[in-house]
Amino acid sequence: MAFHFQVITVFPEMIQAAMAAGVFSQAQKSSLLELSCINPREFTTDVHRTVDDRPFGGGDGMIMLPEPLQKSIEKAKAQQPKAKVIYLSPQGKPLTHQKAQALSQESGLVLLCGRYGGIDQRIINQFVDEELSTGDYVISGGELAACVVMDAVSRFVPGVLGHKDSVDKDSFAEGLLEHPNYTRPREYQGESVPEVLFSGHHKKINEWKELVSYLVTLQKRPDLIDKSKTQKTLKEAYKYWQGLSPQERDTLGLKTLKDEDFHG
Ligand SMILES: C[S@@+](CC[C@H](N)C(=O)[O-])C[C@H]1O[C@@H](n2cnc3c(N)ncnc32)[C@H](O)[C@@H]1O
């Protein structure tokens, strides 16, 4: 059965356009994923199809009315009674690799997109299972965030990615960032692809990938190292880094890694 995403949004065209290309769209064609939108305006009765009103107590921005949102959620739940209801919100827990993977185990998701100044709190209290954020900043609506969630979650749905390996080896899968990648030509603007990648020696190549992954993470996101499952140690990584020439460090994207980063 397809993994079903139902998006509650006043801008369904934004969702459909963003998801109409690439892996997600292919997976829809192969019936691995299903995407549908519910517009809260369907559940309005006035001529302007109003979905928002002024906040009680004053303040900037309009607030989305509870009733059209409740009816939208009920319509989604009638399709999929067990689907988790997620409100995209800057106040939610940040989306992570682990969270995306866990959500892919659900039977489906209902993604509620706010607009304007946000939504009536009582909808969150009564109907939302979880609030999710894409990061500590505010965007104008939940639609782009919902697309990010759908893209990240769908990558874990079996069959969506051609090679199962892609999710296992990507950044964050083992807790570290991915090693750099190179393709043709072997020499480009004075930089050569690391020799080991032509050795045909898979064990050596994997060793190299793990070490460089460690170094890239140490340079860009040292906070991830302690929480990762890496078998490599700081000592091994330091030894390898010391043996690299300045040119080799540049080619690996390790320009700003410094001796003191290993002794912090
Ligand atoms: C302009 S925002 C409202 C922000 C709200 N007044 C607040 O300060 O929490 C409108 C909508 O965009 C979405 N949104 C904004 N920032 C987001 C973020 N970082 N992650 C997920 N959704 C976000 C939410 O659905 C929100 O209801």
Side-chain angles (χ1 to χ4, degrees):
M1 221 171 56
F3 190 104
H4 193 173
F5 294 99
Q6 298 192 79
V7 186
I8 298 174
T9 170
V10 289
F11 291 120
E13 64 279 13
M14 252 181 103
I15 301 287
Q16 298 294 0
M19 306 315 280
V23 168
F24 193 94
S25 142
Q26 286 305 323
Q28 275 181 278
K29 287 181 195 135
S30 317
S31 304
L32 293 165
L33 303 176
E34 196 180 332
L35 168 62
S36 50
C37 294
I38 299 172
N39 191 336
R41 291 197 200 280
E42 276 180 42
F43 304 102
T44 54
T45 47
D46 64 314
V47 65
H48 301 294
R49 305 178 82 197
T50 309
V51 289
D52 58 339
D53 206 338
R54 286 191 301 275
F56 282 129
D60 294 335
M62 301 291 268
I63 299 302
M64 291 185 85
L65 292 163
E67 200 180 343
L69 293 182
Q70 173 177 351
K71 290 194 165 149
S72 302
I73 295 168
E74 284 168 354
K75 182 174 177 184
K77 289 290 243 183
Q79 290 266 326
Q80 284 181 291
K82 292 206 176 117
K84 206 170 219 185
V85 179
I86 293 182
Y87 171 46
L88 286 315
S89 162
Q91 302 184 14
K93 291 225 174 78
L95 177 67
T96 60
H97 177 96
Q98 285 73 21
K99 185 77 215 168
Q101 187 164 25
L103 289 176
S104 73
Q105 307 297 312
E106 298 288 331
S107 55
L109 296 176
V110 177
L111 300 171
L112 173 58
C113 304
R115 274 272 151 184
Y116 323 115
I119 70 174
D120 190 299
Q121 179 64 35
R122 291 163 294 184
I123 287 295
I124 305 174
N125 300 344
Q126 294 175 32
F127 300 99
V128 169
D129 296 312
E130 207 169 322
E131 291 180 67
L132 265 190
S133 166
T134 52
D136 287 348
Y137 46 80
V138 173
I139 50 180
S140 315
E143 288 75 11
L144 293 175
C147 291
V148 169
V149 170
M150 288 192 284
D151 190 314
V153 170
S154 66
R155 294 169 60 80
F156 291 102
V157 172
V160 168
L161 293 188
H163 303 282
K164 186 191 164 284
D165 268 359
S166 325
V167 254
D168 297 345
K169 302 265 165 62
D170 275 341
S171 294
F172 306 109
E174 298 283 320
L176 295 181
L177 303 179
E178 198 189 33
H179 53 81
N181 291 296
Y182 310 88
T183 182
R184 277 180 243 258
R186 190 167 171 160
E187 289 268 334
Y188 187 69
Q189 306 275 16
E191 290 192 70
S192 312
V193 175
E195 276 303 318
V196 62
L197 297 176
F198 302 99
S199 66
H201 196 304
H202 293 299
K203 191 160 175 271
K204 258 194 194 162
I205 293 175
N206 286 336
E207 277 279 313
W208 175 89
K209 285 182 175 175
E210 263 198 79
L211 273 173
V212 178
S213 210
Y214 191 111
L215 292 170
V216 168
T217 311
L218 184 65
Q219 174 179 263
K220 295 181 177 168
R221 289 288 306 277
D223 57 300
L224 295 175
I225 291 199
D226 289 343
K227 290 175 256 154
S228 78
K229 298 181 204 148
T230 182
Q231 301 296 312
K232 293 285 165 240
T233 61
L234 187 68
K235 210 169 140 194
E236 276 174 276
Y238 185 49
K239 196 170 157 215
Y240 175 71
W241 181 77
Q242 279 186 310
L244 294 171
S245 69
Q247 170 71 61
E248 284 169 324
R249 289 177 190 173
D250 283 1
T251 300
L252 294 177
L254 298 173
K255 259 186 190 155
T256 60
L257 194 62
K258 296 179 295 301
D259 208 87
E260 52 266 38
D261 294 327
F262 293 88
H263 309 296

